[in-house]
Amino acid sequence: PKETIERLERDAIERYAIDEVVTNLEVLERVEPNPTLLAAVMRTKHLMNPAVLAMARTLVAKVVGELIEKLARDIERSFSGRRHRQSLSRHGAANQFAARETVRRNLTHYDPQRRQLIVRQPLFFSQTRKRLQPWQIFLLVDQSGSMVGSVIHAAVTAACLWNLPGVRTHLITFDTQIVDLSDEVHDPVATLMQVQLGGGTDIGQAIAYAAQNIDVPKRAIVVAISDFFEGANPQVLLDQVASLLGQGTQVLGLAALDE
């Protein structure tokens, strides 16, 4: 039965990681787009003929669009401002609700018989805008096979950051070679379809490449996303990180990046 075929195909991809299933055009036309499917496409796109690859790209675009819709709002909110606790307003969003101040101001409306507090006027913290000086953010992504989920979310995160005012985003993938995808950060689908999974790991070389492209060290963030199984000389990596920290650059090491 059709339902059984679809269930087997879905389980092959999602439960058993039989990624070759997605090289079949009929399967791609039936399967529901999701991040697991996207990871399978990335691992097998080199095996696809042009027709299958075109269909895969359409599915990749749909999944990426859904991820951006989920993540963009949180990222924008992080950069948009912070709650100003000294300033209260009668209007605001749910995440600005001033619970303690609302209770205190409405205590006169307490009904002792019902043992209920009647809130006649909720209060909210006002939101103050942050004044952003230009920042550079470097996302250095290990493209070894085990990092496929992080590669996907790094491309999506880079696209979200690209839309923010005052932020210049660099997306760099690496194994033993470096590929600078910064010019295509705005198009995560094109970025993901270019990534070649596999190969060795030279994190120190990627850190050095980022260091060469920093304009103002104290307004730069370098994020290394890797399993940190360094294939090159680890002392080079340590020296590069120490040099960045010494000049005031923020350095983050992430073993994974997901929602």
Side-chain angles (χ1 to χ4, degrees):
K2 180 182 176 183
E3 293 82 2
T4 303
I5 293 173
E6 291 174 354
R7 176 59 186 267
L8 286 169
E9 291 168 349
R10 187 168 66 250
D11 284 355
I13 299 167
E14 296 184 6
R15 295 183 60 183
Y16 301 107
I18 306 175
D19 297 332
E20 290 77 6
V21 171
V22 301
T23 62
N24 184 303
L25 184 59
E26 293 181 0
V27 173
L28 283 180
E29 289 173 342
R30 284 194 296 262
V31 75
E32 184 69 27
N34 58 51
T36 304
L37 173 67
L38 175 49
V41 167
M42 289 188 62
R43 282 191 286 258
T44 58
K45 62 184 188 315
H46 62 287
L47 303 174
M48 297 177 178
N49 64 45
V52 177
L53 197 59
M55 183 64 189
R57 186 184 178 89
T58 301
L59 295 176
V60 168
K62 184 172 182 180
V63 177
V64 167
E66 291 173 353
L67 287 174
I68 287 179
E69 189 176 344
K70 286 182 183 178
L71 299 179
R73 191 175 301 172
D74 287 338
I75 291 174
E76 288 171 5
R77 188 182 297 125
S78 298
F79 281 79
S80 64
R82 57 191 173 200
R83 289 186 292 185
H84 184 48
R85 295 187 175 275
Q86 282 70 45
S87 179
L88 296 172
S89 170
R90 296 188 175 190
H91 305 283
N95 66 337
Q96 297 167 255
F97 180 58
R100 184 175 298 176
E101 288 75 8
T102 297
V103 170
R104 185 180 296 119
R105 298 281 183 90
N106 287 273
L107 282 175
T108 55
H109 307 306
Y110 179 70
D111 186 336
Q113 292 183 339
R114 295 183 180 179
R115 302 185 70 182
Q116 288 181 344
L117 176 67
I118 300 170
V119 176
R120 294 188 177 177
Q121 181 57 66
L123 297 172
F124 303 85
F125 295 119
S126 62
Q127 198 88 348
T128 58
R129 299 286 296 178
K130 290 179 181 176
R131 184 177 178 275
L132 282 181
Q133 291 182 307
W135 278 80
Q136 281 179 286
I137 299 179
F138 294 83
L139 298 179
L140 312 177
V141 192
D142 183 344
Q143 59 181 0
S144 57
S146 62
M147 298 297 295
V148 61
S150 295
V151 171
I152 292 168
H153 284 88
V156 170
T157 301
C160 295
L161 291 170
W162 181 81
N163 287 317
L164 296 174
V167 177
R168 202 159 107 237
T169 307
H170 304 258
L171 180 62
I172 296 145
T173 61
F174 67 90
D175 40 40
T176 55
Q177 302 294 319
I178 291 170
V179 180
D180 192 336
L181 299 169
S182 302
D183 289 340
E184 298 186 13
V185 158
H186 63 284
D187 186 353
V189 176
T191 298
L192 291 173
M193 296 306 282
Q194 288 187 62
V195 170
Q196 299 294 325
L197 298 172
T201 308
D202 191 338
I203 312 170
Q205 181 183 218
I207 296 280
Y209 179 83
Q212 294 168 7
N213 289 277
I214 292 174
D215 295 333
V216 182
K218 292 187 177 180
R219 289 206 304 274
I221 302 172
V222 175
V223 185
I225 305 166
S226 174
D227 54 17
F228 296 101
F229 284 98
E230 177 65 302
N233 185 348
Q235 191 58 49
V236 172
L237 169 60
L238 295 175
D239 291 344
Q240 289 291 340
V241 171
S243 176
L244 286 177
L245 294 174
Q247 67 184 17
T249 299
Q250 298 182 44
V251 182
L252 302 176
L254 304 181
L257 184 66
D258 56 24
E259 289 186 45

